[in-house]
Amino acid sequence: LPTGGTMFGVSTSTSSAFALFFNICVFIVFVAAAETQTPSPAPAPCNLKSNTSCDECLQNVACLWCSSTQQCMDYPVKNILPPSSVCPLNDARWGVCW
């Protein structure tokens, strides 16, 4: 070290404090990033909710409930409205049960 206890115009005690602060911040960022990357569990496949209830089925937003058959199925995303071959429109529920 140069004489006078300074390095590049900053006292060594200040640079040590800054290094400690910087290391703590980096550690906190890595811990927070690790926690936010934990994936949430995938919802149960729709067909496992058949013969339960509309409310149970529609907990998964990708599902369609057919009240006449009590079947829970994947919403037919290729269609705007589910075709009657899947479920009569009056009996089809998605998003909400009412």
Side-chain angles (χ1 to χ4, degrees):
L1 279 175
T3 59
T6 62
M7 183 169 42
F8 304 110
V10 178
S11 73
T12 54
S13 63
T14 305
S15 63
S16 296
F18 176 77
L20 178 63
F21 175 75
F22 178 78
N23 287 332
I24 290 171
C25 289
V26 169
F27 177 77
I28 290 170
V29 167
F30 279 116
V31 168
E35 288 180 1
T36 59
Q37 292 177 1
T38 304
S40 59
C46 297
N47 61 355
L48 293 181
K49 299 291 185 163
S50 290
N51 299 314
T52 59
S53 70
C54 178
D55 289 323
E56 284 286 321
C57 173
L58 297 187
Q59 286 178 356
N60 182 343
V61 297
C63 296
L64 167 80
W65 176 257
C66 187
S67 61
S68 60
T69 62
Q70 301 290 297
Q71 295 298 300
C72 185
M73 60 195 85
D74 292 324
Y75 190 91
V77 294
K78 293 182 180 181
N79 304 80
I80 295 173
L81 295 174
S84 59
S85 60
V86 171
C87 183
L89 193 55
N90 287 340
D91 297 331
R93 303 288 181 267
W94 61 97
V96 293
C97 292
W98 43 270

